[in-house]
Amino acid sequence: MSDVARPRLSQAAGLPALAAAAARSLGGVVIGGGLGAAAWLVVMQDGYQRGFFGRRWSDQDFASALGKLAGASQGIIRQRGFYVTLVVVAAVMVLYGVVAHVLASRLPQRWQLHALGLGAFVFLLWGLVFSPIVSAREPSEKGGVFGIDAGGTTWLVALLASMAFAVVAVRIYRLMTDEGWWIPGRRKIEASATLEAMGVGDAEKDALTSLELAEELREKP
């Protein structure tokens, strides 16, 4: 085989793997981001609508404020805010995926630490970008830096929402982008290999075989 043909064959063989990796990443962005967005909105809106211990923790109606920023009119303001939230979350998840891939050798691999970092980023994005813009462009909506104009505990609601979003989104994204997670019986194979390495795999198999033979003998007349 010529030296020119080898790289072409290698590239052709790598295309299915690249397509599969892209599909896993897309699934992680869509499903992880979608469920993460739902977690964010539940916490933010419950904090506004007296959802925690019967108390109102925030005066910022996040969905309404975002809908107005997106140019929504009466009747569809919160719906528009929900749709824009999904778009923003998708962009955040794509950015996270790129950073996690490019800096894979430098970042810690534990998903909990990734969630902590992403949660901090989302919280800062809300407190330093979204809330100040809301108070500047929409006088009817409360915002300010870290939601200072929307009550003293608004920042706490946003922090909890950021962590809820990050935990859900990162965990699902990491699972879906893990190639081994899609292999049927992976954990069973790994457990068997571990038992064999410990020298108990054969003993366990022999014990199960003995029990099966004993059961067959009992069933015979």
Side-chain angles (χ1 to χ4, degrees), residues 30-149:
V30 173
I31 299 177
L35 294 178
W40 162 274
L41 287 172
V42 165
V43 177
M44 289 296 288
Q45 295 304 113
D46 277 1
Y48 171 73
Q49 296 172 347
R50 301 174 182 262
F52 304 144
F53 309 108
R55 173 186 168 183
R56 188 170 186 169
W57 294 79
S58 172
D59 290 331
Q60 184 183 91
D61 186 349
F62 174 82
S64 176
L66 187 57
K68 289 179 180 179
L69 285 179
S73 59
Q74 295 181 354
I76 60 169
I77 296 176
R78 288 183 177 176
Q79 291 89 334
R80 179 72 61 83
F82 170 72
Y83 296 139
V84 176
T85 300
L86 294 179
V87 174
V88 173
V89 164
V92 169
M93 290 304 298
V94 170
L95 178 62
Y96 162 72
V98 171
V99 172
H101 176 73
V102 173
L103 301 179
S105 60
R106 300 181 181 181
L107 293 176
Q109 295 304 308
R110 296 181 62 182
W111 71 268
Q112 295 91 336
L113 296 179
H114 283 219
L116 184 62
L118 183 61
F121 171 77
V122 171
F123 177 68
L124 293 175
L125 186 65
W126 168 83
L128 297 177
V129 178
F130 173 76
S131 282
I133 291 177
V134 166
S135 60
R137 296 188 179 181
E138 298 294 335
S140 61
E141 298 291 339
K142 297 182 179 179
V145 178
F146 290 108
I148 190 171
D149 298 332

Side-chain angles (χ1 to χ4, degrees), residues 112-213:
Q112 295 91 336
L113 296 179
H114 283 219
L116 184 62
L118 183 61
F121 171 77
V122 171
F123 177 68
L124 293 175
L125 186 65
W126 168 83
L128 297 177
V129 178
F130 173 76
S131 282
I133 291 177
V134 166
S135 60
R137 296 188 179 181
E138 298 294 335
S140 61
E141 298 291 339
K142 297 182 179 179
V145 178
F146 290 108
I148 190 171
D149 298 332
T153 55
T154 302
W155 68 270
L156 179 59
V157 175
L159 180 62
L160 293 175
S162 300
M163 290 298 108
F165 159 75
V167 167
V168 173
V170 170
R171 183 54 175 162
I172 294 176
Y173 181 87
R174 290 287 296 272
L175 283 175
M176 296 198 68
T177 55
D178 181 9
E179 183 179 2
W181 186 76
W182 297 90
I183 299 176
R186 177 193 178 192
R187 291 179 177 82
K188 184 177 180 180
I189 295 172
E190 291 179 349
S192 300
T194 302
L195 289 173
E196 290 180 3
M198 295 171 61
V200 297
D202 293 337
E204 182 184 16
K205 183 178 180 181
D206 293 341
L208 291 174
T209 302
S210 299
L211 290 173
E212 290 174 358
L213 290 174

